[in-house]
């Protein structure tokens, strides 16, 4: 075990800014990418679904 | 015709690949989550403090995996682009497009974490040395590939043009990889060599687990993105219409 306390863990031996700056930004960007790609998928399915129904109405 | 050949082309058809990708995504997501938890635990709680760099070295557990992924994704992307050029398979160029944003993201993260590691250890956020510069060129190659594809409206013309750029850019990957041997550099040499590793076992394990976590993450995200690309490219086909009426 490397850490005596939670405070010691977050202090990262004086490298807190660099270590958490690395892990934090990585976590944030990966999360944003997941949200963006899931949102894109949903939007496309909705848009194409609407388009399909409109085309079906035109045909009738 | 050989049986294997038929199967191969069957899965290169977007209509077959779309549902297959949909089934695989949850498994890769689960693997990515589990491996991330294990990797972070090993990296923060099992791997010991470095005798030279203290706790600052722990940046390695995302820096090296991100840098490896940035190169691996580029090679896979260029391979798909090459397949698209040679066999003219529709799925290949869609896969290349789906890989590019995630590759660019990992390249950026390798540079970002590298800057945050360089500052306390070298005293500089950035130096124009071979390793850093060639990794920056990799970022520009990803951006160039995406911009070129986006700039050409007709996908049948965009795919070969951007595909060619991706293939030519592959030359940069061995340059990145070998840069620490070929040039004098501030960047440290390879941690893992064919002659063995200079790393402590738990550190190495944590780094490898984080690499696999990012790998599984990439597969999950890229499969989701390629499903978007497939839907947009094939929107006027009957199978997409059937797929949409199923999901709505």
């Amino acid at each position: 075990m490397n850490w005596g306390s939670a405070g010691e863990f977050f202090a990262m031996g004086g490298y807190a800014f660099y270590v958490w700056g690395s892990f934090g930004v990585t976590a944030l960007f990966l999360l944003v990418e997941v949200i963006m790609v899931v949102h894109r998928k949903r939007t496309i399915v909705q848009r194409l679904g609407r388009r399909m129904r409109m085309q079906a109405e035109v045909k009738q | 015709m050989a049986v294997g050949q038929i199967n191969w082309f069957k899965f290169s058809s977007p209509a077959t690949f779309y549902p297959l990708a949909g089934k695989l995504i949850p498994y890769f997501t689960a693997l990515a989550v589990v491996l991330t938890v294990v990797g972070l635990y090993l990296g923060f709680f099992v791997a010991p403090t470095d005798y030279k760099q203290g706790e600052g070295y722990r940046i390695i557990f995302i820096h090296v995996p991100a840098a490896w992924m940035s190169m691996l994704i580029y090679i896979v992307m260029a391979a798909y682009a090459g397949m698209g050029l040679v066999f003219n398979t529709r799925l290949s160029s869609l896969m290349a497009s789906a890989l590019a944003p995630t590759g660019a993201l990992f390249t950026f993260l390798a540079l970002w974490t590298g800057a945050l590691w360089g500052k306390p250890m070298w005293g500089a956020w950035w130096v124009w040395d071979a390793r850093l510069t060639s990794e920056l060129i990799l970022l520009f190659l990803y951006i160039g590939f995406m911009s070129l594809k986006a700039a050409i409206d007709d996908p049948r013309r965009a795919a070969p043009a951007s595909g060619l750029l991706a293939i030519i850019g592959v030359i940069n990957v061995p340059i990145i990889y070998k840069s620490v041997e070929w040039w004098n550099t501030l960047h440290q040499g390879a941690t893992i060599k064919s002659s063995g590793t200079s790393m402590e076992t738990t550190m190495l394990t944590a780094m490898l687990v984080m690499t696999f976590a990012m790998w599984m993450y990439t597969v999950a995200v890229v499969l989701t993105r390629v499903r978007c690309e497939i839907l947009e490219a094939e929107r006027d086909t009957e199978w997409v219409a059937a797929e949409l009426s199923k999901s709505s």
Side-chain angles (χ1 to χ4, degrees):
Chain A
M1 194 66 184
N2 298 309
W3 323 99
S5 66
E8 227 175 83
F9 175 71
F10 289 111
M12 274 294 142
Y15 291 105
F17 173 74
Y18 304 103
V19 172
W20 300 125
S22 296
F23 281 82
V25 168
T26 302
L28 179 73
F29 275 48
L30 296 188
L31 203 67
V32 166
E33 191 191 19
V34 169
I35 292 168
M36 275 172 68
V37 80
V38 168
H39 180 254
R40 182 180 166 198
K41 172 82 184 355
R42 199 174 301 150
T43 316
I44 290 172
V45 169
Q46 280 171 359
R47 183 161 44 82
L48 292 184
R50 216 178 299 133
R51 185 168 165 270
M52 198 176 72
R53 283 189 296 277
M54 271 169 65
Q55 283 168 343
E57 275 173 39
V58 170
K59 268 185 208 150
Q60 276 165 8
Chain B
M1 196 187 282
V3 179
Q5 220 171 356
I6 297 166
N7 284 339
W8 206 92
F9 281 106
K10 183 167 174 272
F11 283 108
S12 71
S13 136
T16 322
F17 192 74
Y18 183 89
L20 175 70
K23 279 195 203 88
L24 293 175
I25 289 164
Y27 296 101
F28 285 108
T29 309
L31 273 171
V33 171
V34 170
L35 287 169
T36 304
V37 171
V38 174
L40 289 177
Y41 175 76
L42 291 173
F44 280 113
F45 296 99
V46 180
T49 307
D50 187 68
Y51 74 99
K52 266 199 288 193
Q53 301 196 351
E55 309 299 350
Y57 92 93
R58 291 185 199 277
I59 294 170
I60 201 174
F61 300 127
I62 37 177
H63 176 71
V64 172
W68 279 345
M69 288 313 298
S70 72
M71 292 186 279
L72 176 71
I73 293 173
Y74 195 91
I75 292 169
V76 176
M77 182 183 93
Y80 272 116
M83 273 197 279
L85 279 179
V86 176
F87 301 112
N88 206 16
T89 40
R90 283 170 299 167
L91 186 61
S92 312
S93 73
L94 298 177
M95 276 301 288
S97 308
L99 281 154
T102 305
L105 177 60
F106 277 118
T107 312
F108 168 77
L109 289 173
L111 291 167
W112 175 266
T113 55
L116 281 168
W117 199 2
K119 184 64 183 167
M121 303 306 166
W122 306 339
W125 301 105
W126 179 263
V127 285
W128 289 102
D129 95 328
R131 174 56 71 81
L132 281 71
T133 308
S134 52
E135 182 75 11
L136 184 65
I137 291 171
L138 186 69
L139 182 63
F140 293 153
L141 281 169
Y142 277 120
I143 293 171
F145 174 83
M146 290 188 283
S147 313
L148 188 57
K149 198 147 197 175
I152 305 172
D153 286 332
D154 180 1
R156 278 167 308 177
R157 283 175 54 233
S162 55
L164 198 63
L165 175 73
I167 291 163
I168 294 167
V170 168
I171 191 72
N172 189 44
V173 174
I175 293 177
I176 299 172
Y177 193 70
K178 288 285 180 186
S179 56
V180 286
E181 289 174 31
W182 291 346
W183 289 282
N184 274 322
T185 166
L186 211 50
H187 197 283
Q188 67 188 69
T191 309
I192 298 171
K193 301 185 191 79
S194 49
S195 55
T197 168
S198 59
M199 248 181 146
E200 218 254 333
T201 317
T202 50
M203 289 181 186
L204 181 67
T205 312
M207 201 171 82
L208 292 178
V209 172
M210 287 304 284
T211 305
F212 283 115
M214 287 187 182
W215 199 340
M216 297 301 109
Y217 166 91
T218 303
V219 175
V221 167
V222 169
L223 285 179
T224 312
R225 192 179 289 116
V226 82
R227 271 160 66 90
C228 298
E229 300 279 344
I230 288 172
L231 282 180
E232 283 184 330
E234 304 266 307
R235 62 184 173 191
D236 294 319
T237 59
E238 275 177 26
W239 79 263
V240 167
E243 195 67 43
L244 289 173
S245 48
K246 240 193 291 177
S247 59
S248 59

